[in-house]
């Protein structure tokens, strides 16, 4: 499956509609999932080191978008406003097969640099405020 068609939607946490508003201009998405920290837990009686998995770390969630700031609903302006207010938003990433991932996060927004024949992009970096919950697509039965 190609990444083409992936969408990222957001909604406000309080008093928000039940549907997500799609953020247009999405160009790149990060890996989704977590990597648990390996914690060493060896006893003096053990012949080899013993480990167990601790809490997970999803790493940096950075999404790249095409820059566009022509209206109050432009993703750059919406996310920049949320970042300035340190607002926690709910997010939903949807894959082309219908698989979804939901989480809450604060955002920071950084406008990329430019050069001759290079488009302007902006990057949204997310500070997770919840677990990432996968939702499998419905099978229709």
């Amino acid at each position: 499956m190609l990444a083409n068609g992936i969408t990222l939607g957001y909604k406000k946490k309080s008093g928000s509609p039940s549907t997500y508003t799609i953020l247009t201009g999405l160009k790149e998405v990060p890996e989704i999932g977590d990597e648990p920290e390996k914690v060493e837990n060896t006893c003096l009686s053990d012949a080899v080191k013993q480990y167990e998995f601790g809490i997970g770390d999803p790493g940096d969630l950075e999404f790249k978008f095409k820059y566009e700031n022509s209206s109050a609903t432009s993703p750059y302006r919406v996310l920049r406003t949320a970042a300035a207010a340190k607002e926690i938003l709910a997010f939903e990433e949807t894959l082309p097969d219908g698989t979804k991932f939901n989480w809450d996060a604060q955002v920071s927004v950084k406008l990329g640099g430019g050069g001759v024949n290079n488009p302007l992009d902006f990057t949204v970096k997310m500070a997770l405020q919840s677990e990432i919950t996968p939702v499998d697509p419905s099978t229709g039965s």
Side-chain angles (χ1 to χ4, degrees), residues 42-114:
T42 306
C43 297
L44 294 173
S45 60
D46 292 328
V48 295
K49 284 189 173 186
Q50 303 290 308
Y51 296 92
E52 57 187 87
F53 285 122
I55 62 173
D57 181 0
D60 290 334
L61 290 180
E62 293 187 16
F63 294 81
K64 188 177 280 191
F65 288 85
K66 173 183 175 179
Y67 173 78
E68 187 274 313
N69 190 20
S70 63
S71 72
T73 60
S74 298
Y76 176 73
R77 201 177 306 186
V78 167
L79 294 169
R80 194 187 73 216
T81 300
K86 298 190 184 311
E87 183 177 10
I88 297 173
L89 299 173
F91 290 94
E92 181 173 79
E93 180 179 312
T94 305
L95 304 183
D97 71 353
T99 302
K100 297 179 182 206
F101 300 93
N102 299 100
W103 67 90
D104 298 338
Q106 285 183 311
V107 298
S108 66
V109 177
K110 186 175 185 179
L111 185 60

Side-chain angles (χ1 to χ4, degrees), residues 113-125:
V116 174
N117 282 335
N118 286 325
L120 280 178
D121 295 326
F122 71 94
T123 301
V124 177
K125 190 170 189 174

Side-chain angles (χ1 to χ4, degrees), residues 33-37 53-59 128:
D34 63 20
E35 195 169 317
E37 184 176 335
F53 285 122
I55 62 173
D57 181 0
L128 278 178

Side-chain angles (χ1 to χ4, degrees), residues 8-32:
L8 181 66
Y10 81 96
K11 64 181 181 178
K12 294 186 179 282
K13 294 285 294 170
S14 59
S16 64
S18 60
T19 59
Y20 289 85
T21 300
I22 300 299
L23 295 161
T24 58
L26 183 62
K27 295 177 78 169
E28 290 180 20
V29 297
E31 294 179 335
I32 295 287

